[in-house]
Amino acid sequence: MTDTLNRPPVVRRISDLIGYTPLFELAGADNGARLLLKLEMFNPTGSAKIRMARQMVDDAEARGELREGGHIIESTSGNTGLGLAVVAAERGYRFTAVVDHHAAADKLRGMKAMGVELVYVDGDGDELHTAAREELAEDMARGKDNTFFTEQHNNPSNAVGYHDVGREIAQALDNRVDVLIGAVGTGGGLCGSARELKKTVPGLTVIGVEPKGSIAFGPPAHDYYQSGTGTPEGATIGLLVDYDLIDEGAKVGDVEAFATARAVARHCGLLIGGSAGGVVHEALARLPHLAPDSVMVAFINDGGEKYMDTVFNDDWMNARDLLDPLVEAEVEETLTKLRRN
């Protein structure tokens, strides 16, 4: 595993810029409790998922499953695909991404710009088709030499790729962290980070957040618009969702998640993604109830720049009944109150 904690001052590959992402103090409660955001949009491709994309390829090469001139195949809603696109370009691999129209358009454009072959599953509109994508990607790779389906939802390397996140948080805060909160999609990001962080912070509380409609923390199941997170109906909960590591699961609706992302942008000048908005919404609700002087770190998977056509587009939001100025105003009021401390 590449050690991002000892990165040289000059690098020769874009993937060598992974890591060292900053912590930003978003809010503080009257009792001294603090909410810090681990801003993973400062990685190449603007997302945490390039960490695990590189790890999956590293480990496949070590096992001999990928060799010179090989072919990578993955089912992706965008950020994993962007990370794999960088690694494939650096190492001379062909990469095919199996996608649907639920993915943010800018993520798809970014993959194409890096030479990725996009294969769409059948399905109209912008609904999520995770199960169909996974099945097609597996079929495309089956029985083909030097072809590797990275299978992010069930690949242990996914979680290993996030171990450095735990190390970076521990190092930056001298192990003074009480709560880690983050979105649960594949489970690799939150659980991989938590597993490593718990080595030096054994009393850490871990909170997973998924969209309402996702099934990792139970029913009911229904469609949702938060991208790159959760487990939709018909999909299998990934092996990397480690319930032994997660102390509590929470659900946040699309309206609240997107309202929070929009409010944070106006209040702080910080663009975060839609699912990150869900994490921040839940974290802000919990912050005043933490023990005095506690430190909560929120894992912010990606930035908002890829969601200009969706979360930050009033027409798109209105067309799906997701725009709620009252909820946005409530979030801004909460931020105003908590950022005074």
Side-chain angles (χ1 to χ4, degrees):
M1 176 170 51
T2 304
D3 185 358
T4 61
L5 301 181
N6 291 292
R7 188 174 66 201
V10 177
V11 302
R12 300 186 64 188
R13 298 186 302 183
I14 292 299
S15 63
D16 290 335
L17 295 170
I18 295 170
Y20 291 104
T21 55
L23 286 164
F24 169 67
E25 184 163 349
L26 178 67
D30 290 335
N31 67 356
R34 304 159 67 203
L35 171 59
L36 311 181
L37 308 185
K38 179 67 167 163
L39 298 181
E40 287 290 288
M41 71 278 281
F42 284 87
N43 284 304
T45 73
S47 167
K49 291 194 174 182
I50 193 171
R51 294 181 185 260
M52 63 90 154
R54 178 179 61 181
Q55 191 68 47
M56 291 192 298
V57 173
D58 281 349
D59 292 348
E61 290 174 341
R63 294 190 301 266
E65 295 181 68
L66 265 179
R67 304 178 301 281
E68 184 176 353
H71 185 189
I72 299 169
I73 299 176
E74 179 56 284
S75 159
T76 175
S77 61
N79 279 329
T80 299
L82 287 167
L84 287 169
V86 170
V87 179
E90 290 178 338
R91 305 186 190 188
Y93 295 128
R94 177 186 169 200
F95 173 37
T96 299
V98 181
V99 300
D100 56 35
H101 292 282
H102 179 87
D106 279 352
K107 296 178 184 179
L108 302 175
R109 296 184 191 116
M111 284 189 278
K112 286 190 71 175
M114 287 185 274
V116 177
E117 175 191 17
L118 301 182
V119 175
Y120 287 84
V121 297
D122 292 334
D124 298 326
D126 54 9
E127 295 179 359
L128 190 58
H129 296 282
T130 303
R133 289 197 331 247
E134 293 283 321
E135 183 177 352
L136 179 56
E138 186 175 11
D139 287 345
M140 291 176 64
R142 185 178 293 114
K144 294 183 179 178
D145 181 56
N146 203 14
T147 299
F148 183 61
F149 172 33
T150 44
E151 197 179 2
Q152 59 175 312
H153 284 83
N154 296 306
N155 189 330
S157 301
N158 176 340
V160 174
Y162 292 106
H163 285 182
D164 275 343
V165 177
R167 293 207 266 290
E168 290 170 21
I169 292 171
Q171 183 187 67
L173 299 176
D174 196 24
N175 295 318
R176 295 189 61 190
V177 54
D178 302 281
V179 181
L180 178 66
I181 184 170
V184 175
T186 67
L190 181 64
C191 295
S193 302
R195 184 175 298 280
E196 191 66 19
L197 190 53
K198 277 179 173 284
K199 291 180 179 178
T200 54
V201 188
L204 181 74
T205 297
V206 179
I207 300 168
V209 180
E210 68 174 348
K212 289 182 178 178
S214 174
I215 61 172
F217 299 125
H222 56 74
D223 291 341
Y224 56 86
Y225 287 100
Q226 292 174 62
S227 178
T229 189
T231 305
E233 187 175 20
T236 302
I237 298 171
L239 297 177
L240 306 175
V241 180
D242 189 339
Y243 292 103
D244 290 336
L245 280 173
I246 302 173
D247 296 288
E248 187 176 349
K251 293 176 180 282
V252 176
D254 290 334
V255 170
E256 291 77 15
F258 296 165
T260 302
R262 292 162 64 98
V264 167
R266 286 196 300 271
H267 201 85
C268 308
L270 175 67
L271 290 169
I272 62 175
S275 63
V279 172
V280 172
H281 188 274
E282 185 67 21
L284 287 171
R286 291 171 179 265
L287 182 63
H289 307 291
L290 295 181
D293 301 319
S294 295
V295 176
M296 175 189 288
V297 175
F299 188 110
I300 303 303
N301 181 71
D302 68 353
E305 292 84 356
K306 300 165 189 168
Y307 306 97
M308 293 296 111
D309 293 334
T310 55
V311 176
F312 298 99
N313 181 332
D314 287 1
D315 292 337
W316 185 91
M317 293 278 287
N318 271 319
R320 292 156 181 79
D321 295 322
L322 296 172
L323 191 63
D324 193 326
L326 289 178
V327 177
E328 291 184 33
E330 289 172 1
V331 176
E332 285 201 70
E333 183 179 351
T334 298
L335 285 169
T336 299
K337 177 183 177 183
L338 293 175
R339 282 182 66 82
R340 286 198 193 111
N341 296 286

